[in-house]
């Protein structure tokens, strides 16, 4: 579950080969979240190479998690 304050990266969602390939070259910070009843949540994300934040759907983002051994 993604929430404001999380660090995320973008999933590649277009193309014929490797449709859901992960793009880890740029990471972003989730600033805001908007949820409406019966709709996909949207997140306002600022990526390092963008001038201003943009809105992304939840299924286009992947949360970076800490792995512990």
């Amino acid at each position: 579950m993604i929430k404001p304050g999380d660090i995320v990266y973008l999933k590649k969602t277009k193309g014929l080969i490797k449709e859901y390939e992960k793009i880890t070259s740029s990471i972003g910070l989730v600033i805001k979240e908007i949820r409406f009843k019966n709709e996909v949540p949207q997140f306002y994300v600022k990526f390092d190479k963008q001038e201003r934040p943009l809105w992304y759907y939840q299924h286009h983002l992947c949360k970076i998690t800490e792995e512990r051994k």
Side-chain angles (χ1 to χ4, degrees), residues 2-15:
I2 299 172
K3 59 184 188 279
D6 287 343
I7 297 177
V8 295
Y9 58 90
L10 210 52
K11 290 183 190 176
K12 181 178 178 185
T13 58
K14 295 183 181 177

Side-chain angles (χ1 to χ4, degrees), residues 32-44:
K32 288 192 249 182
E33 170 185 13
I34 189 167
R35 291 179 186 258
F36 294 108
K37 189 174 182 181
N38 299 325
E39 290 186 14
V40 177
Q42 295 181 26
F43 297 95
Y44 198 54

Side-chain angles (χ1 to χ4, degrees), residues 6-11 22-30 45-50 56 61-65:
D6 287 343
I7 297 177
V8 295
Y9 58 90
L10 210 52
K11 290 183 190 176
K22 297 174 182 175
I23 302 171
T24 58
S25 60
S26 69
I27 58 172
L29 176 66
V30 178
V45 181
K46 170 69 169 109
F47 284 98
D48 55 354
K49 296 178 183 176
Q50 293 177 342
Y56 294 94
L61 301 171
C62 188
K63 181 179 174 181
I64 295 178
T65 58

